[in-house]
Amino acid sequence: MKVQLVKLAHARSGDKGDTANVGVIALREDIYPILVREVTSERVKNHFKGICKGDVERFELPNLGALNFLLHESLGGGGTLSLMTDAQGKTFSTALLRMEIEITPEEANRFAVS
Amino acid sequence: MKETIRVAAGQGFWGDLPDAPVHQVEDGPIDYLMLDYLAEVTMSIMQKQKTRDANAGYAKDFVPLIRRILPACVERNIRITANAGGVNVKGCADAVREVARDLGFAGKVKIGLVTGDDIMSRLDEFLAGGMELRSMDTGAPLATVRDRIQSANVYLGAWPMVEALRQNAQIVITGRATDTGLTLAPLIYEFGWSATDWDKLSAGTIAGHIIECGAQASGGNCQYDWQNIPDMANVGFPIAEASSDGTFVITKHIGSGGRVNVPSVKEQLVYEMGDPHEYITPDCVADFTTIQLEEAGENRVRVFGVRGRPATDSFKVSISYSAGFKAVGTLVYAWPDAFAKAQKADKILRERLERLGLRFDQVLTEFVGANATHGPLAGPPSADAPEVQLRVGVRGSDRASVERFTKEIAPLILTGPPAVTGFAGGRPKVEEIVAYWPALIPKEVISPKVEVLET
């Protein structure tokens, strides 16, 4: 079944030049493997279609139950060059949490999400 | 040697809550107050101020702040590390010295100055010597923007500050120093950590990273359970309570608002993160995948297990250069069909700009209330939306074109779709763009200088 990522994770985002970073953190330790399985660079790149014009890189932080994504060429030039309201990528965090991922009914039951 | 050292964060950026450092000093025990004033483009703003007034070019707010907190800091031996010096460390230190004398602390307070970060006057020497100073973002050599450069500063690390503390400076003022160095320096000094103890240097660096954005580690901008974070009006800024073994606890003063817990610290750890295996500073390369966190009481998170690797042989340079002009205009359209009206207005405006033959590198339209933050992910806005703000920005090297754009916004009120308002602020301002050029430079060509002034 499909659930929105916001039910399983929290996040914070920021910028480095024209690259936005989104750190996605599992709400519980045992949710982290699902993030690793479902929230791949390809899916994140596809999710941010029309927003992220460059590559998406993913890094794993099992110690924090978190994934870090770098979304290159996403901030209209970045820094002071950008004309965007969100030139610093601060709201990319919840934009990623809109993503729908696939979990099993057992997992939905275990994490009490629907 | 004290068992633990409490380093308190007082500012997350230049313009953060003015009373936060005062509360850090007055509302509970601390040993050090660290104040981060410099964002990436702050140096260029300060450079401009210094060009107009030789006594300016540093964080002016720092001086009245010192006036408020110095008596308590002297009484309780709280020492201060701040990168408030901007492009005029000496000017900042002189102003602070005046305040100290004024308060009757002549001869009792030493002020440390760290300089050597400003390489503006040496750029041509470096370029002539074959250094390219390529942009870490685009790979382009610095020569392509040489005539438009406004400032160039190396990010210095913790060690020059350590030297100033060893010479008994109560207040250490730097120019462009890393945010993390402001926290790491007191720990190196107090615990006598060696320059090659990479794990401990990395731990101190991570402590710095967690507290350098102020309340962003203690409940601010925290998505986890944000509705229930208590007393944010009285939010306590974070404190790193460090031990000599390189472990530390993130906490805040008892009685302050906000919240420090594992989720709030995790959110700050991933903020502005690149490759977590290598968080590179002048002092070490910290590995964020080694960090362990555990709850250690109310509003206390213990951080341990940090590993790190040797520092690299480069410093990062922060260069700013003039990159054209921009302006942003907005109007608000009301129900019914607010979004359709705003879209129509945008179409009319663009057609007019086109007919005027104006030249821009970029024209960006956003509809606030519909897609300004999440773009197409937000889906189509409701036809019943109470209002939508049209927000159009332009950018280009031709100032006259940008100037003319600013005169085309207000006329839309009388010459475009109906039920429109929101123009009380007058014409949009034309802004000169000062862009950021990060580069690397070999450490061996840079010589940080430390000086300690008597008061």
Side-chain angles (χ1 to χ4, degrees):
Chain A
M1 59 183 284
K2 281 196 184 313
V3 293
Q4 213 168 16
L5 198 49
V6 71
K7 299 213 167 134
L8 299 172
H10 59 123
R12 180 170 294 178
S13 56
D15 68 315
K16 269 274 179 297
D18 200 18
T19 298
N21 109 282
V22 188
V24 184
I25 306 158
L27 285 173
R28 284 171 35 177
E29 219 167 273
D30 51 355
I31 290 174
Y32 176 67
I34 298 175
L35 300 186
V36 174
R37 184 187 76 206
E38 295 295 321
V39 192
T40 61
S41 327
E42 293 73 26
R43 286 186 193 158
V44 170
K45 168 80 185 165
N46 190 46
H47 180 71
F48 282 98
K49 200 165 37 191
I51 299 172
C52 173
K53 289 155 187 105
D55 293 337
V56 172
E57 287 183 89
R58 184 179 97 161
F59 299 96
E60 297 177 14
L61 292 114
N63 55 319
L64 302 180
L67 297 174
N68 186 41
F69 293 92
L70 297 183
L71 281 58
H72 299 287
E73 297 171 55
S74 299
L75 297 174
T80 50
L81 286 169
S82 177
L83 295 171
M84 291 165 64
T85 296
D86 190 14
Q88 275 80 35
K90 302 258 184 200
T91 65
F92 276 60
S93 53
T94 55
L96 180 51
L97 295 183
R98 285 175 174 275
M99 189 169 150
E100 292 205 312
I101 64 168
E102 194 68 44
I103 61 173
T104 65
E106 185 277 321
E107 286 165 343
N109 197 33
R110 182 150 42 107
F111 306 128
V113 293
S114 54
Chain B
M1 189 172 81
K2 289 183 187 169
E3 269 183 27
T4 59
I5 292 295
R6 285 163 65 96
V7 183
Q11 290 278 281
F13 65 101
W14 189 16
D16 206 349
L17 281 180
D19 285 357
V22 180
H23 286 295
Q24 289 292 52
V25 168
E26 289 179 354
D27 296 352
I30 61 170
D31 300 293
Y32 286 84
L33 178 68
M34 65 76 83
L35 299 157
D36 175 28
Y37 284 98
L38 302 181
E40 285 163 351
V41 296
T42 314
M43 299 304 279
S44 65
I45 298 169
M46 291 175 166
Q47 189 72 50
K48 270 190 204 165
Q49 291 171 346
K50 194 183 172 191
T51 310
R52 284 195 295 267
D53 172 4
N55 295 317
Y58 58 88
K60 286 263 176 194
D61 306 352
F62 183 64
V63 181
L65 171 66
I66 291 295
R67 186 177 287 279
R68 283 179 76 184
I69 63 175
L70 190 58
C73 290
V74 171
E75 189 191 333
R76 290 158 44 206
N77 194 28
I78 296 167
R79 299 167 84 173
I80 299 166
T81 55
N83 55 13
V87 296
N88 189 359
V89 178
K90 185 70 169 60
C92 183
D94 285 344
V96 167
R97 182 161 61 172
E98 282 312 304
V99 166
R101 285 176 177 164
D102 237 32
L103 292 169
F105 295 120
K108 294 186 186 132
V109 172
K110 289 190 165 77
I111 302 164
L113 287 70
V114 175
T115 54
D117 59 301
D118 190 341
I119 57 165
M120 183 72 176
S121 62
R122 298 179 65 195
L123 280 182
D124 289 322
E125 166 203 333
F126 293 142
L127 293 173
M131 225 181 262
E132 293 191 291
L133 296 167
R134 286 181 179 272
S135 163
M136 292 166 77
D137 289 339
T138 65
L142 188 67
T144 56
V145 296
R146 175 64 192 99
D147 53 335
R148 293 187 276 143
I149 294 173
Q150 300 190 344
S151 67
N153 297 77
V154 169
Y155 285 85
L156 297 178
W159 290 98
M161 288 185 256
V162 173
E163 181 51 36
L165 292 171
R166 284 182 181 148
Q167 294 182 36
N168 296 316
Q170 174 129 21
I171 305 170
V172 181
I173 301 170
T174 75
R176 182 69 275 185
T178 57
D179 320 348
T180 52
L182 299 168
T183 298
L184 175 59
L187 305 184
I188 294 173
Y189 165 71
E190 292 281 347
F191 299 134
W193 290 346
S194 95
T196 55
D197 197 340
W198 308 114
D199 292 344
K200 291 198 181 80
L201 297 179
S202 295
T205 295
I206 286 168
H209 174 78
I210 294 171
I211 69 171
E212 78 194 9
C213 292
Q216 235 191 184
S218 53
N221 190 25
C222 184
Q223 203 176 121
Y224 183 86
D225 195 34
W226 68 270
Q227 300 92 331
N228 300 309
I229 298 176
D231 197 14
M232 282 302 289
N234 177 38
V235 62
F237 274 44
I239 297 168
E241 187 181 285
S243 303
S244 63
D245 63 359
T247 64
F248 58 93
V249 169
I250 298 296
T251 186
K252 63 188 185 69
H253 282 320
I254 290 165
S256 65
R259 182 189 281 161
V260 174
N261 61 5
V262 166
S264 82
V265 172
K266 279 185 181 174
E267 284 196 24
Q268 178 54 23
L269 278 170
V270 298
Y271 180 64
E272 290 185 347
M273 179 186 277
D275 179 347
H277 300 96
E278 44 181 46
Y279 183 86
I280 303 172
T281 75
D283 307 306
C284 60
V285 177
D287 184 348
F288 275 51
T289 68
T290 61
I291 301 169
Q292 301 296 319
L293 302 176
E294 69 182 17
E295 304 280 356
E298 198 183 346
N299 290 308
R300 291 177 67 82
V301 171
R302 186 167 169 266
V303 185
F304 58 101
V306 173
R307 306 295 302 270
R309 296 191 301 278
T312 69
D313 52 13
S314 306
F315 280 124
K316 189 170 169 183
V317 196
S318 149
I319 299 165
S320 67
Y321 67 102
S322 173
F325 304 89
K326 67 178 176 182
V328 173
T330 62
L331 290 172
V332 176
Y333 289 86
W335 180 94
D337 304 315
F339 182 51
K341 287 171 186 163
Q343 280 180 306
K344 179 80 176 184
D346 177 53
K347 195 164 170 287
I348 295 167
L349 173 65
R350 282 173 177 258
E351 198 177 320
R352 288 180 185 161
L353 297 178
E354 186 82 17
R355 286 182 187 203
L356 287 165
L358 304 182
R359 287 176 296 118
F360 301 110
D361 294 337
Q362 195 193 1
V363 180
L364 178 76
T365 303
E366 293 176 327
F367 299 97
V368 180
N371 66 12
T373 55
H374 289 183
L377 289 167
S382 155
D384 227 19
E387 70 250 343
V388 167
Q389 184 188 56
L390 168 67
R391 183 183 183 278
V392 183
V394 298
R395 172 165 66 84
S397 52
D398 179 35
R399 185 175 184 124
S401 290
V402 178
E403 196 81 59
R404 182 57 202 259
F405 159 82
T406 67
K407 298 176 183 169
E408 294 293 323
I409 306 297
L412 278 168
I413 296 177
L414 304 190
T415 65
V420 52
T421 184
F423 201 70
R427 271 182 199 156
K429 273 204 322 245
V430 176
E431 244 187 287
E432 186 191 350
I433 302 173
V434 177
Y436 174 65
W437 184 287
L440 295 174
I441 195 164
K443 279 181 176 166
E444 71 226 23
V445 302
I446 303 299
S447 336
K449 290 180 196 64
V450 177
E451 190 187 341
V452 174
L453 298 182
E454 304 285 340
T455 46

